[in-house]
Amino acid sequence: MVQILVHYSHLPIVSLIAGALGERTDLTNTFKSIGLLIATVLSGHLLHFLIVLPTLYFLIVHKNPFSFMKQLLPSQLLAFASSSSAAALPVTIDCVMQSGLVPKNIANFVLSFGATINMDGVAIYFPAALIFLATSEGLEIKAVHYALIVLLSSFASAGAAPIPNAGVVLILTFFTTIFNGVKPTNHALLLAIDWLLDRSSTVVNVTCNGFIAVMVSQLEGGDSVDQEDIGLDLDHPENGISKDEPKAEVKFEVKSLQQGL
C-alpha cells in the first residue's frame, strides 16, 4: 500500500502546482520570483559551503579545508541523492574516520548528534522561503516579522527532521504563526522547487557536520589519532604499509593530560 502511494504521489503534487500557476495572472513575474528564490538560497548555501565553513576550519585546525572536503565527497553525493542527513550518516562517519583526523568516539557522537540538530542549510533556506511566500501574498513585512523569521528559522535548524521534504511543513507552520494566522495560497509553488533546495540544504548540513567533527577533535585532542580509533589496519596492503615495514608510533595526545603534566 505504501509503495502504491509513493508511486502515484507525483500526481497530486503536479495538480497542486498546476492549480497554483493557473490562479496567477502574471506568470512572467511568478517565474522570475521563483528563479530569484532559487538563486538566493543556492547563493547562501555556496557562501556557507565555500567561505564560512572552510574559514572556520582553517582558523581552528590550521590545515587546508578543501583537502578534507574531498574526503566527504561520497557522503555529499549520497546526501544530494537521498535528501536525508540520517540516510547519509553511516557514509559520513566512514568518510570522516578514514581521513584519520577524528577518533571513533568523537566521530560517532558529533556526527550522530549533528545529523539531528545541526541544519545550517535549513537555516538559510527557511528565511528566503518565508519572505517569498509573504511577498507573493502581497503582505507587508515589518521589522518584527523579520525578527520572528530569524528566530524561528534558528529553532528550525535544530528541530527539523532529517528526512526529505520535512521543511515544507515547517515553513507553512511558521508562516501562519508569523503573519497572524494568514494561510499561504502559493505554497504549492514551493513544492515545485523544494526537491532541489532541500537536497542543497542536506549537502550543506552533511559537510558542516564533518567539519565540526574535525574541529571538535582538534580542540579536544590533537593532530594525530590512534590507528584503532579510526578503524584502519595498518598491516593491510591497501593502507600502504606492509608487515615487513616498521610501523610509525602514533599517539593521540590529550590536552588535559598535557596540562596535568
Side-chain angles (χ1 to χ4, degrees):
M1 184 63 182
V2 175
Q3 292 181 350
I4 295 176
L5 293 175
V6 172
H7 183 73
Y8 291 102
S9 61
H10 63 282
L11 296 177
I13 294 176
V14 171
S15 300
L16 288 172
I17 297 173
L21 292 176
E23 295 175 355
R24 310 292 292 186
T25 57
D26 191 353
L27 289 180
T28 301
N29 288 333
T30 299
F31 284 115
K32 285 183 178 179
S33 298
I34 294 174
L36 183 60
L37 172 62
I38 296 174
T40 300
V41 175
L42 294 182
S43 297
H45 287 166
L46 284 175
L47 179 66
H48 193 69
F49 186 85
L50 297 176
I51 298 179
V52 177
L53 292 177
T55 301
L56 290 175
Y57 183 93
F58 180 77
L59 292 176
I60 296 176
V61 183
H62 306 295
K63 291 184 178 180
N64 185 357
F66 298 102
S67 297
F68 173 70
M69 193 175 290
K70 293 180 182 179
Q71 299 281 341
L72 296 175
L73 183 59
S75 175
Q76 293 168 345
L77 293 176
L78 180 58
F80 186 84
S82 63
S83 187
S84 171
S85 300
L89 179 59
V91 179
T92 305
I93 294 176
D94 183 65
C95 290
V96 171
M97 291 180 59
Q98 290 297 325
S99 70
L101 299 173
V102 185
K104 184 176 181 180
N105 58 337
I106 292 180
N108 288 336
F109 176 77
V110 173
L111 295 175
S112 300
F113 200 50
T116 56
I117 69 168
N118 184 38
M119 306 286 181
D120 291 17
V122 170
I124 298 172
Y125 173 29
F126 276 24
L130 289 169
I131 293 174
F132 165 78
L133 288 177
T135 54
S136 65
E137 296 290 340
L139 300 175
E140 181 182 0
I141 306 177
K142 301 179 181 179
V144 64
H145 294 145
Y146 284 113
L148 287 173
I149 287 173
V150 172
L151 181 63
L152 292 178
S153 297
S154 300
F155 283 125
S157 67
I163 58 176
N165 305 113
V168 176
V169 178
L170 286 177
I171 289 174
L172 300 181
T173 304
F174 290 167
F175 183 89
T176 304
T177 302
I178 294 171
F179 295 99
N180 298 324
V182 177
K183 295 182 179 181
T185 59
N186 297 316
H187 64 278
L189 298 177
L190 283 179
L191 297 176
I193 60 176
D194 184 71
W195 67 271
L196 173 62
L197 301 182
D198 191 41
R199 281 166 168 75
S200 178
S201 298
T202 306
V203 172
V204 173
N205 296 339
V206 167
T207 305
C208 182
N209 292 338
F211 272 53
I212 289 177
V214 179
M215 294 180 207
V216 171
S217 177
Q218 175 69 23
L219 293 173
E220 290 296 321
D223 295 334
S224 57
V225 180
D226 190 271
Q227 65 182 31
E228 295 180 357
D229 287 335
I230 60 177
L232 291 178
D233 182 8
L234 297 183
D235 291 331
H236 197 282
E238 293 182 357
N239 293 325
I241 300 178
S242 64
K243 292 183 178 180
D244 298 331
E245 296 178 356
K247 300 178 183 178
E249 183 178 2
V250 183
K251 295 182 179 180
F252 183 73
E253 299 176 353
V254 182
K255 287 185 176 180
S256 58
L257 293 178
Q258 292 176 346
Q259 293 174 358
L261 296 175

